[in-house]
Amino acid sequence: MIMRNQISRRNFINTAAAGVAGLSILPNQGFSRSSTTTEGIHIIGPREGFSSHVGSLLSMMTWMRNVVVLGVADLTIKELDYLHDAKANTIGAMLLHLAATERGYQIRTFDWNIDFTGDGKINWNAAMQLGDQGRQAIKGHNLDFYLNILSETRQATIDEFKKRDDNWLFKVDPNFFQGMPTNNYCKWFHVCEHESNHNGQIKWIKGRLPGAKAGND
Amino acid sequence: MIMRNQISRRNFINTAAAGVAGLSILPNQGFSRSSTTTEGIHIIGPREGFSSHVGSLLSMMTWMRNVVVLGVADLTIKELDYLHDAKANTIGAMLLHLAATERGYQIRTFDWNIDFTGDGKINWNAAMQLGDQGRQAIKGHNLDFYLNILSETRQATIDEFKKRDDNWLFKVDPNFFQGMPTNNYCKWFHVCEHESNHNGQIKWIKGRLPGAKAGND
């Protein structure tokens, strides 16, 4: 379920006691407020049912995804398809790009023997490449289209994480790219921070949608 | 030392075997290639001298910082001061914003009893607020100015991390913001992903600097 509130990721609080005016603070609105659980959204760390570091990674990925999803709540098809300039990607294309990236790393790290392009219902190649391909192929979808794909893709990751342990997470691919050893933790941390990277761009574009109020991004 | 190479964060590799054409891959150029170490840049996980999860967090922060720093290598003062539109932040201001954010979380989570504004040599408030304040106050600095502040700020974090353990990392602030429990791991993960968020914007602007070649961000 998507919270239909507007959120501003950079909320400023006046923390006079610490002398920090305007400390960049965590996004707040719309998060679950189950404050009695030890597995609340702002609690990063091990998770029941997962090995210690796998659970910690998942808690980061969950937190990050919440930020992305809350940031796009209420966007219309027109807004999701808005192209700021000829080089830009739309917000919709970037959302699908996040799912495509996760799918790519699933195939690589879970040793799935499937074709990346799938059954043709989703243009995964365009989502991965973005640019001209993305601008041409990814449009006309509503928010739920993107959120459902993101959610389904994430659920598959969670299912696989459950089957694996920290030894798998720390497993090193000696030659992942140009001879540099890379472990699965790094690959999946990249999937996570990559969402923040594009979220920065999503916010930038969102602040420049026709009729948007001034933002600082 | 900053590697003076151009890097492209979204490098595409043809992984025909896995059927993933154009899988978004980790940034590659400029990273240390000490492939024999178990603590290489693309190895996320515990680090010698730090408790298990603190070291893992630090390895992510180090990886992320490398991406940011490599992405701005070679930028001139004019480019660091480039303002894309009236709402935008400059790349320079965003770099200082990353240091300001880290400083804010240092004060909050390490219980430093110091004034956020420091000795006045750096306009920390403008760096934290960005927007009009940032546009007015942060300009005319070369890349080393920003990188030195980032580096000094990070070193202080590392020094404090060394003194702390996973119990500290998992310590919950019951009312960090609007009644939501938040642990130190979450606060510092936010510091880390926040760099990626702005890095996405830095890349977006970098691709639109006067004379820039076409990018897909």
Side-chain angles (χ1 to χ4, degrees), chain A residues 50-68:
Chain A
F50 300 86
S51 67
S52 177
H53 284 275
V54 172
S56 298
L57 167 63
L58 179 59
S59 70
M60 293 178 224
M61 291 170 64
T62 304
W63 188 94
M64 196 68 248
R65 176 61 58 84
N66 265 274
V67 172
V68 173

Side-chain angles (χ1 to χ4, degrees), chain B residues 161-201:
Chain B
F161 276 3
K162 274 187 185 153
K163 303 177 198 165
R164 288 169 167 79
D165 61 14
D166 287 355
N167 288 332
W168 167 80
L169 194 65
F170 295 139
K171 189 179 167 194
V172 176
D173 186 339
N175 194 15
F176 181 60
F177 194 50
Q178 296 198 341
M180 301 190 73
T182 306
N183 66 8
N184 284 324
Y185 204 160
C186 187
K187 293 175 190 176
W188 280 98
F189 168 69
H190 170 57
V191 172
C192 183
E193 64 79 22
H194 175 255
E195 300 207 2
S196 187
N197 168 85
H198 283 291
N199 191 49
Q201 297 172 345

Side-chain angles (χ1 to χ4, degrees), chain A residues 63-120:
Chain A
W63 188 94
M64 196 68 248
R65 176 61 58 84
N66 265 274
V67 172
V68 173
V69 169
L70 291 167
V72 297
D74 284 332
L75 291 187
T76 64
I77 296 176
K78 195 173 174 182
E79 291 169 330
L80 290 163
D81 285 350
Y82 171 73
L83 201 60
H84 189 70
D85 62 28
K87 286 183 185 179
N89 299 302
T90 68
I91 292 175
M94 283 193 278
L95 291 174
L96 201 58
H97 177 66
L98 299 185
T101 302
E102 183 157 356
R103 180 175 172 84
Y105 278 92
Q106 286 170 338
I107 292 171
R108 298 295 294 278
T109 67
F110 300 144
D111 299 321
W112 285 359
N113 188 23
I114 64 166
D115 191 288
F116 178 69
T117 55
D119 58 9

